[in-house]
């Protein structure tokens, strides 16, 4: 390890400051462009020791756990709390522009739709039981060390106010000192808590855990490794006025305002389409809203979210017909011939994107497409395939769903 002073030239895609060393770039978390900083260096990684010259864009972090001097260690949940709002948002918008340019795409990119503190309704905690306590928090960046949190400015009040209850659930289920995961979704009927990475409970431990949960207020459901342990109330979420009960641990957009913004952009583009395909449909985030516009065919690889979507569609009056299909779109995308049936297609794949499905869409005659993505790089790859085949990008909108991180959501609209 060596100590040296460097000047930060830019921010990298992960939010780290980048300085140029004699033997290549040096990545320094918690720094900003233009700053002169003293670092302890190991190869290409620098640990911030002190700031000689601070950027005018530097601000006080919002949370006591953030940064190299954070309480209980540097929480790895956020990387950019020290960046002032305007340049921070410009940086995230530029991530989208740069990703598109890397594939030769130069559409106009909207200003980013901003996120605000306290909006996060889905949080994944790291947890571990010690001899003295139950640790609940987030892993330090690139580490298995859990930073036990006392606050989290991005998470909703509904989650943070029930942190003692979440801790009690973790303590009731922990059977060893091994770390595990607690995913929490705030629903209309209470918290939906999904615990993973814990080995099988004995009957006595199971009964004890259920008794503990039943004494807690504000808990709708607790599941363990995908199996419902106890469900005092059915957890319910709402997609455009349609109530859905998602399966344990199901994917949900991280914030409700971001979900609403995405849904508005999707609906505005497909507008009067009579037949719509929603690919990677999940529990119906878009499909159930789009069913107020036209007939919807929802395709999803997992059966439980699809069953929740189907149940909601069948029990909500006023919707156009919704059909469902379980299908692994990575291995078996909808083919160009099948896509002839649709006026519009919406796809919202995982971070890996939808390369094979995009190739089939590129060969199709679908008039309107909306691509939703949490990964600008794979989105750019997929959009390039569509543009090469004659589609035109009409709008690109970044959405800051993941506040103070380097992650950004994007909605792109295309026409044939």
């Amino acid at each position: 390890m060596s100590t040296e002073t460097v000047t930060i030239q830019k921010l990298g895609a992960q939010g780290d400051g980048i300085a140029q060393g004699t033997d290549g770039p040096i990545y320094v978390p918690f720094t900003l462009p233009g700053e002169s900083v003293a670092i302890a260096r190991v190869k290409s990684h620098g640990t911030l020791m002190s700031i000689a010259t601070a950027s005018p864009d530097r601000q006080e972090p919002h949370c006591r756990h953030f940064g190299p001097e954070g309480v209980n260690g540097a929480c790895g949940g956020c990387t950019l709390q020290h960046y002032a709002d305007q340049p921070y948002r410009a940086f995230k918008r530029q991530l989208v522009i740069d990703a598109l340019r890397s594939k030769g795409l130069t559409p106009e990119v909207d200003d980013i739709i901003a996120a605000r503190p306290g909006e996060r309704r889905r949080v994944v905690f790291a947890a571990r039981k010690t001899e003295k306590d139950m640790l609940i928090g987030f892993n330090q960046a690139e580490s298995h060390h859990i930073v036990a949190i006392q606050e989290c400015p991005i998470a909703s009040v509904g989650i943070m106010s029930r942190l003692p209850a979440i801790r009690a659930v973790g303590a009731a289920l922990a059977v060893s000192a091994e770390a595990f995961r607690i995913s929490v979704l705030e629903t209309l009927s209470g918290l939906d808590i999904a615990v993973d990475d814990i080995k099988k409970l004995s009957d006595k431990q199971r009964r004890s855990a259920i008794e503990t949960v039943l004494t807690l207020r504000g808990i709708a459901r607790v599941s363990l490794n995908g199996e419902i342990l106890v469900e005092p109330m059915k957890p319910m979420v709402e997609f455009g006025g349609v109530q859905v009960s998602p399966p344990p641990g199901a994917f949900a957009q991280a914030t409700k305002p971001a979900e609403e913004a995405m849904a508005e952009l999707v609906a505005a583009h497909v507008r009067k389409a009579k037949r719509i395909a929603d690919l990677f449909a999940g529990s119906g985030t878009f499909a159930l809203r789009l069913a107020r516009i036209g007939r919807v065919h929802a395709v999803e690889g997992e059966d439980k979210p699809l069953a929740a979507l189907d149940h909601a569609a069948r029990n909500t009056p006023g919707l156009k017909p919704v059909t469902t299909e379980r299908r692994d779109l990575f291995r078996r995308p909808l083919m160009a011939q099948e896509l002839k049936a649709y006026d519009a297609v919406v796809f919202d794949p995982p971070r890996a994107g939808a390369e094979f499905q995009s190739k089939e869409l590129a060969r199709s005659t679908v008039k309107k497409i909306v691509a939703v993505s949490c990964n600008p790089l794979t989105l750019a790859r997929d959009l390039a395939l569509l543009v090469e085949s004659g589609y035109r990008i009409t709008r690109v909108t970044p959405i800051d769903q993941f506040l103070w991180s380097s992650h950004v959501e994007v909605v792109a609209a295309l026409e044939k």
Side-chain angles (χ1 to χ4, degrees):
M1 181 185 293
S2 63
T3 304
E4 56 190 280
T5 298
V6 297
T7 299
I8 305 301
Q9 296 175 337
K10 61 179 181 178
L11 286 187
Q14 304 304 313
D16 292 342
I18 300 178
Q20 194 59 42
T22 54
D23 52 352
I26 307 168
Y27 299 91
V28 189
F30 312 120
T31 59
L32 295 173
E35 292 188 328
S36 178
V37 297
I39 62 169
R41 179 182 173 189
V42 177
K43 297 182 180 178
S44 63
H45 181 80
T47 299
L48 178 64
M49 306 299 288
S50 63
I51 302 172
T53 306
S55 165
D57 293 329
R58 179 173 284 274
Q59 66 176 13
E60 281 296 311
H62 297 253
C63 174
R64 75 184 81 174
H65 302 295
F66 178 81
E69 297 177 356
V71 174
N72 298 332
C75 171
C78 295
T79 53
L80 291 163
Q81 281 191 25
H82 59 305
Y83 210 1
D85 289 351
Q86 189 172 344
Y88 157 76
R89 290 171 186 157
F91 163 72
K92 295 193 90 166
R93 176 176 177 268
Q94 192 64 42
L95 289 176
V96 177
I97 293 170
D98 291 346
L100 294 171
R101 282 181 181 166
S102 73
K103 294 296 182 181
L105 304 174
T106 56
E108 182 62 34
V109 175
D110 293 347
D111 288 339
I112 194 166
I113 295 176
R116 291 173 178 80
E119 291 181 343
R120 192 72 177 263
R121 65 170 176 184
R122 177 171 60 83
V123 178
V124 181
F125 293 107
R128 185 166 60 83
K129 195 171 188 178
T130 68
E131 290 182 5
K132 298 180 180 179
D133 202 3
M134 181 69 226
L135 293 180
I136 296 281
F138 301 104
N139 286 108
Q140 196 166 353
E142 300 179 10
S143 167
H144 295 297
H145 172 70
I146 297 174
V147 177
I149 62 165
Q150 297 162 305
E151 64 176 309
C152 180
I154 66 167
S156 72
V157 172
I159 291 177
M160 293 312 296
S161 65
R162 295 188 180 99
L163 196 59
I166 297 168
R167 188 177 284 111
V169 171
L173 292 173
V175 294
S176 70
E178 293 293 314
F180 58 98
R181 211 157 32 98
I182 304 178
S183 302
V184 182
L185 175 66
E186 184 180 18
T187 77
L188 298 172
S189 46
L191 299 186
D192 185 11
I193 300 176
V195 179
D196 290 287
D197 304 328
I198 285 182
K199 293 172 184 175
K200 189 175 180 180
L201 301 180
S202 67
D203 290 342
K204 181 180 178 181
Q205 289 167 329
R206 180 181 289 266
R207 285 195 301 271
S208 175
I210 291 171
E211 288 169 7
T212 296
V213 172
L214 292 174
T215 66
L216 302 171
R217 300 186 64 178
I219 307 297
R221 176 172 66 191
V222 175
S223 61
L224 178 61
N225 300 326
E227 176 196 348
I228 296 175
L229 193 67
V230 58
E231 189 177 73
M233 294 185 69
K234 193 166 282 294
M236 302 298 294
V237 294
E238 189 176 84
F239 298 143
V242 181
Q243 291 207 351
V244 183
S245 181
F251 173 81
Q253 297 294 345
T255 79
K256 188 66 174 172
E259 180 189 281
E260 295 287 355
M262 285 185 268
E264 285 178 18
L265 290 163
V266 168
H269 188 60
V270 305
R271 277 191 282 191
K272 298 177 182 179
K274 293 181 179 179
R275 298 164 302 171
I276 306 163
D278 181 16
L279 311 183
F280 307 94
S283 298
T285 304
F286 300 123
L288 293 168
R289 289 177 165 97
L290 294 171
R292 299 193 186 279
I293 297 173
R295 300 172 67 99
V296 177
H297 184 56
V299 185
E300 164 60 39
E302 296 183 30
D303 56 350
K304 290 180 180 178
L306 206 57
L309 188 165
D310 182 61
H311 182 269
R314 291 177 185 276
N315 289 276
T316 304
L319 300 183
K320 301 282 197 303
V322 176
T323 54
T324 60
E325 179 184 356
R326 184 185 178 189
R327 183 163 172 168
D328 184 342
L329 291 166
F330 292 108
R331 295 176 181 271
R332 200 163 63 89
L334 257 67
M335 306 302 284
Q337 188 69 22
E338 297 172 272
L339 291 164
K340 281 183 178 180
Y342 306 106
D343 306 311
V345 171
V346 178
F347 67 96
D348 181 13
R351 288 188 61 80
E355 184 175 8
F356 294 134
Q357 185 59 73
S358 295
K359 287 178 178 177
E360 290 303 319
L361 280 164
R363 297 173 53 230
S364 78
T365 56
V366 175
K367 293 176 183 175
K368 293 188 174 184
I369 296 174
V370 187
V372 183
S373 174
C374 61
N375 185 343
L377 291 172
T378 56
L379 173 67
R381 178 202 65 203
D382 295 345
L383 293 182
L385 292 168
L386 296 168
V387 169
E388 285 168 14
S389 71
Y391 280 93
R392 178 173 64 92
I393 300 173
T394 59
R395 189 172 186 185
V396 177
T397 307
I399 300 168
D400 189 13
Q401 180 163 220
F402 308 100
L403 184 61
W404 297 319
S405 78
S406 59
H407 299 295
V408 60
E409 197 86 26
V410 192
V411 177
L414 302 98
E415 291 180 355
K416 192 74 169 179

